[in-house]
Amino acid sequence: MNNPWQRRRSVLNHDWLKNGYMKGVDAFVSRLGRQSPVQLRIQEFLISDFPVWRRRQPKLQALLADAVDALSPRSLFDLPPLSLCGPETLAWLPNLAHSLWLARYPIKEQVENSQRALKRADAAYNHIVKGLNGSTASTDPTRLRECEPLFREFSKALHALSAAISALPKKVMVV
Amino acid sequence: MSLPRIIVIDDQYGGFRRGGRNRLRENFCLLAGLQDVTGDVSAEQQGNPVAEAVFCRGQIEDGSKIGNDPEGTLEAIRSGWRQSSRWAMLFLDLHFKTGPVGDDGEPMGVARDRDARQYFGLTLLERIWRDPELRDVPIVVLSSMDRDEVEHRFASDERSVAEFIDKTDLDRERLSRALWDHGLIMDDRIIGRSVALLKCLQEARRRAKLGNDNILLLGETGTGKELLARYVHESSCRAGHPYVTVYTQGVPEGLVEDSLFGHEKGAFTGAVATRQGAAENADGGTLFIDEFGDVPAAIQPKLLRLLDKNIRETRRLGAQKTVRLDLQVVLATNRLALLSSGDFRQDLLFRAKADEPVLLPPLQERLEDIPLLAEHFLRKYETQFKTSLETERRDIGPDVMDLLRSHPWPGNVRQLERVIESAVYRWPKLRRLATAHLNMPPDHQGAHRSAMSSRSEERVDVSTSLAPRDLLRLIDQANFDPADPASWAGLAPELQKIFARFYAKLLKAALTATRKSTAANPEGEIKIHPAMKLVMRNDKLTASKAADLVKRVMSLDTTVLEQLMSDPILSEAYGIAVRLRPKGGRK
């Protein structure tokens, strides 16, 4: 996995979102549903873990914004042997390869789908923050229970987002 | 029942985090229903966990760098596998991050870590598969990385992982299902935790999952085929529906056919009413044909359509029409060489799936189960005889276990059970069971040699006759159809004769077993009092009552009394009894 975009995706989607953040949200919802949830763990999540979304969301946005360029066969012309083509060829062939790829593969739709999923996840996050009166440090049990459906919605949106990002191509495709 | 124990090899969950906790692991455990028993960090208590989990990072920290540790990881797997609470399943991550430790305390990762061809998880997988000691460990790949590369890499390998599970998909339900489908899990219904037994149970569950298959259980006598058949039924979607057993061993051909398929009214003399066979009675559930290897040749063609799972048809004797059934069929035999014996229809064996039987291991291959089994039987008979013999609760001396483990047990678990049962009723008041209390089968070494030499061949030994208790159970399970008096009319006089002879044989065995040699009588003097105490399992039985019982046994049926009196032992016993109680006790 030498493609820098693929590495970025792996760190963001696999390491952070799938293995860490999503599990954290799901575990929080599960703890919230208990008869007497352990306050320490509820607080830990709300104060330390949950707000991380704010910092990571722009990175996910940037990842998706770069996806088409990074996954295009045009990027193959940046590396040998195709980078050794003459300037005249390089003036038209990379763009042609890119256009053909866009025509053949639904990459734009896939990226747009991921971006929509990201927006939905972000909206779900904002609903929770609003539900908590703007403060993620709120640990009032009654208010938290009221927000439980919002956390479930957020979890669902995160799962959809992660699946959409995972569905993007695993390597640069040749047309 | 103890919880199954799994090992999770994962860099993120296995690592020791700052503050003595690993929150990623805590969340994972909560969602998957795992009780963390690793002991390296403080663990959250789970309510009603599915399994216990030991987490292993698979890595080692060397100064400011973290690297993978295949040797240490393999040793951790081996050491847990050797324990009696061995891994029910191993969950293996693929991608392990290595390199210098960053500000967050985590390794920063190097390009090689993410190369699907070089995932450390795959290296470990290969090492585990190459290790003969670990060949039976069920492995599930637990990773959110792409699985294509893994599947391609091992496509031509005869080994396979049990399942791929995405980390985000593993919840309580998924974990329970994976354990049930592929795990080596103990079950209270069949005592034991040896790999041989647990693999057998795993295979039985796998086959039962289909719900409409023919499943052949193959095992030596006394290995628990009937118990396993019931386990198959209860593990399948047929649980809660009929479970019907047909015995074939020593049963006349006509009766086997009638009990399996039933008959129409008028099908034969005495068939005054239509009667359903066992196959029809099992519709919707499970039909268990015990001692399938003894099905008479004439019946074999008639079983073909019943064992064809696409047809499942049966026809009552004398009927024109067939009946379609929906059931699973479990067959059992101790004829280990059934497939090559040549005396069975090949097409029937094919339908019975004789080429892929569920193999029940002999007790010799389950030596580590002997302490559990001995303990189980001890408690069972202490409880059973509590009222009649006022048994004491006892422990088992270590020398007893050594002796039990060294015996070849040609009669397998059933034979072990008899030895323990006998020890309890012969010595009800003990608090410690010692070797002297065990009535071990004789010719220990000879039996051992015989068992070892015949294990690979078909056995001809005690298994060819029914054990007395099995016989009693068979009789006890007999049913009489009020609508079919021809099938049972006139049985009583015959039953009385058989019962009289049966009881007399029992008495003779007890008289012989309790004979005491003296100088005057090296063969042994007959004593009716200890003999009757043994037969009745009642140490409080008085001598006069014993004499009454002997007289009663001998007089159960006057038509066979003469025959019994021709036996010198029985005749002598009767003489003693009459001398002791010339008048009383006759009924």
Side-chain angles (χ1 to χ4, degrees):
Chain A
M1 196 188 294
N2 291 321
N3 183 320
W5 185 88
Q6 299 283 11
R7 276 204 301 278
R8 275 168 65 202
R9 171 169 67 172
S10 183
V11 169
L12 274 173
N13 188 37
H14 172 264
D15 296 358
W16 174 71
L17 186 57
K18 272 187 177 182
N19 288 354
Y21 195 72
M22 276 161 58
K23 288 273 179 207
V25 173
D26 290 346
F28 172 78
V29 173
S30 175
R31 287 195 177 99
L32 215 50
R34 285 183 169 183
Q35 282 283 323
S36 43
V38 181
Q39 279 304 308
L40 168 72
R41 287 180 169 85
I42 296 284
Q43 279 173 8
E44 265 174 1
F45 174 79
L46 288 172
I47 294 166
S48 316
D49 302 342
F50 180 60
V52 175
W53 174 258
R54 270 280 155 265
R55 297 204 299 275
R56 298 287 176 139
Q57 188 269 352
K59 290 185 179 178
L60 285 165
Q61 211 164 20
L63 178 84
L64 295 176
D66 298 342
V68 171
D69 276 345
L71 295 170
S72 167
R74 187 168 53 193
S75 63
L76 296 173
F77 290 88
D78 296 335
L79 302 165
L82 293 180
S83 61
L84 302 175
C85 291
E88 283 181 15
T89 308
L90 287 175
W92 64 271
L93 188 54
N95 287 336
L96 176 66
H98 180 72
S99 301
L100 284 173
W101 174 63
L102 289 181
R104 282 193 185 183
Y105 295 103
I107 186 67
K108 278 195 168 169
E109 287 84 340
Q110 280 185 303
V111 171
E112 282 164 11
N113 183 35
S114 302
Q115 285 168 330
R116 277 194 296 275
L118 178 61
K119 270 188 189 162
R120 276 195 290 270
D122 201 40
Y125 176 86
N126 289 328
H127 280 148
I128 296 171
V129 175
K130 200 172 158 192
L132 295 173
N133 282 349
S135 164
T136 57
S138 166
T139 53
D140 170 26
T142 315
R143 184 163 294 280
L144 285 175
R145 288 235 161 80
E146 283 168 7
C147 288
E148 194 184 322
L150 299 180
F151 278 105
R152 286 190 188 281
E153 196 55 41
F154 183 44
S155 164
K156 217 166 117 184
L158 291 176
H159 279 265
L161 170 65
S162 177
I165 298 175
S166 297
L168 291 170
K170 309 253 175 325
K171 58 186 175 188
V172 174
M173 284 182 288
V174 179
V175 283
Chain B
M1 189 169 63
S2 58
L3 280 176
R5 179 170 285 203
I6 65 167
I7 180 167
V8 182
I9 301 171
D10 182 292
D11 55 342
Q12 289 180 302
Y13 301 151
F16 179 90
R17 304 294 166 120
R18 286 171 184 163
R21 286 178 51 201
N22 180 333
R23 280 157 65 190
L24 286 175
R25 190 197 299 179
E26 283 174 6
N27 292 339
F28 176 72
C29 283
L30 177 75
L31 295 170
L34 289 168
Q35 183 59 56
D36 179 8
V37 293
T38 316
D40 60 338
V41 293
S42 61
E44 191 175 8
Q45 281 302 313
Q46 306 295 341
N48 195 19
V50 175
E52 289 180 346
V54 171
F55 288 85
C56 173
R57 183 176 194 169
Q59 298 183 311
I60 194 160
E61 198 162 344
D62 178 17
S64 56
K65 277 170 125 182
I66 286 178
N68 293 326
D69 179 23
E71 298 308 328
T73 310
L74 282 168
E75 198 39 53
I77 300 170
R78 277 191 215 105
S79 106
W81 181 248
R82 285 175 196 143
Q83 290 172 18
S84 56
S85 56
R86 60 175 51 85
W87 313 124
M89 189 167 268
L90 184 154
F91 286 84
L92 182 61
D93 188 18
L94 290 177
H95 167 227
F96 290 68
K97 259 166 115 176
T98 61
V101 178
D103 295 339
D104 59 354
E106 296 301 306
M108 294 163 79
V110 297
R112 181 194 156 95
D113 300 341
R114 290 190 187 278
D115 183 345
R117 292 160 302 177
Q118 301 187 66
Y119 282 149
F120 177 56
L122 296 185
T123 307
L124 276 177
L125 195 57
E126 279 182 327
R127 293 287 302 272
I128 294 167
W129 283 351
R130 281 211 305 266
D131 190 326
E133 193 185 348
L134 302 177
R135 61 198 293 270
D136 292 320
V137 182
I139 300 172
V140 164
V141 168
L142 180 69
S143 173
S144 37
M145 299 301 274
D146 183 32
R147 62 190 271 185
D148 291 353
E149 191 67 38
V150 185
E151 284 177 318
H152 288 151
R153 179 155 159 187
F154 295 108
S156 59
D157 202 298
E158 62 180 33
R159 300 289 315 269
S160 174
V161 296
E163 207 174 334
F164 288 83
I165 301 182
D166 194 300
K167 273 183 187 171
T168 50
D169 293 339
L170 190 74
D171 55 14
R172 298 176 67 95
E173 194 188 326
R174 192 75 199 275
L175 175 67
S176 304
R177 209 166 58 230
L179 281 167
W180 182 255
D181 288 349
H182 314 291
L184 297 179
I185 50 176
M186 286 173 66
D187 198 294
D188 278 349
R189 290 168 290 183
I190 300 183
I191 307 290
R193 57 185 166 211
S194 60
V195 175
L197 177 73
L198 299 186
K199 276 176 70 182
C200 165
L201 298 184
Q202 178 206 51
E203 178 64 10
R205 290 194 304 274
R206 191 180 69 79
R207 298 286 294 276
K209 204 173 178 189
L210 295 173
N212 67 341
D213 208 1
N214 299 319
I215 304 169
L216 180 68
L217 313 180
L218 193 57
E220 294 176 9
T221 181
T223 45
K225 292 184 284 294
E226 198 166 346
L227 215 53
L228 188 65
R230 175 67 77 167
Y231 180 78
V232 167
H233 172 68
E234 287 169 1
S235 303
S236 72
C237 58
R238 307 281 176 179
H241 296 278
Y243 174 82
V244 181
T245 303
V246 176
Y247 297 96
T248 62
Q249 193 177 49
V251 181
E253 185 180 302
L255 277 181
V256 173
E257 185 175 4
D258 191 42
S259 61
L260 258 172
F261 304 114
H263 61 253
E264 288 290 331
K265 182 179 176 183
F268 49 83
T269 312
V272 293
T274 296
R275 194 178 71 81
Q276 286 196 163
E280 279 183 78
N281 288 333
D283 194 21
T286 301
L287 173 67
F288 173 45
I289 305 178
D290 200 7
E291 300 304 351
F292 172 65
D294 290 346
V295 168
I299 313 284
Q300 291 176 23
K302 297 174 184 173
L303 269 174
L304 279 171
R305 291 180 76 77
L306 179 64
L307 291 190
D308 185 332
K309 62 182 185 182
N310 297 315
I311 300 176
R312 292 270 192 243
E313 270 182 2
T314 180
R315 190 202 300 262
R316 292 179 205 146
L317 205 62
Q320 296 300 312
K321 286 184 181 168
T322 55
V323 181
R324 290 292 288 259
L325 302 172
D326 170 28
L327 44 75
Q328 73 176 346
V329 182
V330 180
L331 312 126
T333 181
N334 61 4
R335 294 186 58 189
L336 303 186
L338 187 66
L339 204 55
S340 57
S341 65
D343 61 357
F344 231 80
R345 288 181 66 111
Q346 288 301 304
D347 49 0
L348 186 62
L349 291 177
F350 175 72
R351 289 185 192 181
K353 296 208 168 169
D355 55 336
E356 44 177 328
V358 177
L359 294 167
L360 266 129
L363 193 53
Q364 268 281 304
E365 290 174 18
R366 300 173 51 193
L367 291 182
E368 72 171 286
D369 291 339
I370 286 179
L372 275 182
L373 287 164
E375 182 85 21
H376 170 76
F377 293 136
L378 203 57
R379 299 299 160 239
K380 173 180 167 182
Y381 288 107
E382 279 170 1
T383 309
Q384 194 167 314
F385 302 144
K386 184 79 188 166
T387 314
S388 58
L389 303 181
E390 294 175 331
T391 46
E392 299 261 6
R393 188 182 167 88
R394 70 206 68 197
D395 60 15
I396 304 178
D399 50 338
V400 168
M401 285 305 175
D402 290 344
L403 178 66
L404 294 178
R405 270 193 288 252
S406 67
H407 193 77
W409 301 113
N412 292 294
V413 180
R414 186 188 290 134
Q415 194 179 27
L416 171 67
E417 181 173 2
R418 295 291 165 262
V419 168
I420 302 289
E421 179 192 10
S422 155
V424 176
Y425 75 69
R426 284 161 66 100
W427 310 91
K429 303 292 185 190
L430 291 174
R431 291 200 176 162
R432 166 157 280 220
L433 186 69
T435 53
H437 308 127
L438 296 177
N439 188 15
M440 295 294 282
D443 190 16
H444 185 144
Q445 289 306 317
H448 181 68
R449 280 193 301 277
S450 154
M452 295 313 282
S453 64
S454 65
R455 198 131 266 161
S456 57
E457 299 159 16
E458 191 153 12
R459 299 278 295 277
V460 181
D461 54 18
V462 288
S463 61
T464 53
S465 63
L466 275 178
R469 277 186 178 72
D470 293 338
L471 189 61
L472 290 182
R473 199 181 59 239
L474 259 178
I475 294 170
D476 196 37
Q477 285 174 350
N479 285 312
F480 303 102
D481 185 356
D484 184 16
S487 66
W488 44 259
L491 272 186
E494 198 181 340
L495 177 69
Q496 191 169 304
K497 278 185 201 142
I498 291 172
F499 180 61
R501 282 196 292 266
F502 182 82
Y503 210 153
K505 281 185 209 169
L506 191 60
L507 175 60
K508 186 180 172 183
L511 290 164
T512 310
T514 52
R515 261 181 159 176
K516 288 274 164 57
S517 297
T518 60
N521 188 354
E523 270 196 10
E525 201 177 325
I526 283 173
K527 302 268 189 189
I528 61 168
H529 189 197
M532 269 338 280
K533 281 207 278 193
L534 179 60
V535 169
M536 305 302 289
R537 259 193 221 134
N538 182 357
D539 272 350
K540 291 185 170 173
L541 190 77
T542 60
S544 54
K545 183 73 181 164
D548 288 345
L549 283 168
V550 169
K551 286 184 353 192
R552 188 174 162 193
V553 170
M554 295 295 282
S555 315
L556 276 169
D557 189 288
T558 49
T559 59
V560 297
L561 180 62
E562 194 179 336
Q563 184 191 346
L564 301 183
M565 290 300 281
S566 67
D567 185 290
I569 294 176
L570 290 174
S571 165
E572 191 181 338
Y574 187 64
I576 296 169
V578 171
R579 278 197 300 279
L580 271 172
R581 300 278 284 172
K583 286 180 184 165
R586 282 295 285 268
K587 286 187 181 172

